[in-house]
Amino acid sequence: MEFRINHESNIQSVLTQIERYLGASMSKKIEQAQILTICSELINNIYIHAGKGMLHISTDEGKVLLVAKDHGPGFSDIDKIIKEGYSTKSSLGIGIPAIIRMSDDLEAKSNKNGVEIRITKVLS
């Protein structure tokens, strides 16, 4: 399932749709909450740093796969963005570190054309 993020007003709508999707395909509420939190962080980062982008979510063989893409300015140093407290937009700088803690795998690619983050969450 793919969700377009293109305006602040559609963030809550997208999160509601994701919650419904997860509710239909998952039984453990704690895993649903973790995935919804990861999605919220990704969507907010897309909006804050790029203005628009997309989030793709799918389930496959006991895993949830998330792919977030935007066409923003990107980042130059992955080691900085994964550090607790690092922020380029005067936020708390806890979003990406929280995503890492709740995920089983995270891959990030960035260049001048944008960012792509791939996340895997294994379901128990």
Side-chain angles (χ1 to χ4, degrees):
M1 190 164 235
E2 189 167 288
F3 302 94
R4 300 262 173 224
I5 295 87
N6 53 23
H7 194 272
E8 186 175 21
S9 65
N10 85 323
I11 291 173
Q12 188 56 51
S13 171
V14 168
L15 288 171
T16 299
Q17 291 174 58
I18 292 170
E19 186 173 23
R20 283 189 199 125
Y21 171 76
L22 294 173
S25 62
M26 297 177 63
S27 60
K28 292 196 173 182
K29 296 296 180 192
I30 188 73
E31 288 176 333
Q32 271 185 269
Q34 289 173 334
I35 294 165
L36 196 57
T37 300
I38 292 168
C39 291
S40 177
E41 290 294 337
L42 292 171
I43 290 168
N44 280 295
N45 280 348
I46 288 169
Y47 180 71
I48 289 167
H49 297 286
K52 62 183 176 178
M54 60 76 64
L55 177 68
H56 179 84
I57 183 170
S58 61
T59 56
D60 182 41
E61 298 179 15
K63 300 177 194 171
V64 174
L65 308 169
L66 302 167
V67 179
K69 294 182 184 180
D70 68 48
H71 297 290
F75 53 84
S76 59
D77 189 350
I78 185 75
D79 292 330
K80 283 184 181 178
I81 70 162
I82 65 172
K83 264 190 148 164
E84 193 90 28
Y86 177 79
S87 175
T88 60
K89 296 285 186 175
S90 300
S91 69
L92 296 174
I94 59 174
I96 296 294
I99 289 172
I100 291 169
R101 284 190 297 275
M102 290 183 277
S103 302
D104 293 293
D105 187 46
L106 182 143
E107 297 174 29
K109 298 178 190 173
S110 178
N111 60 41
K112 63 182 172 128
N113 298 317
V115 173
E116 178 178 305
I117 297 178
R118 294 178 169 271
I119 293 170
T120 303
K121 172 74 174 166
V122 176
L123 304 174
S124 55

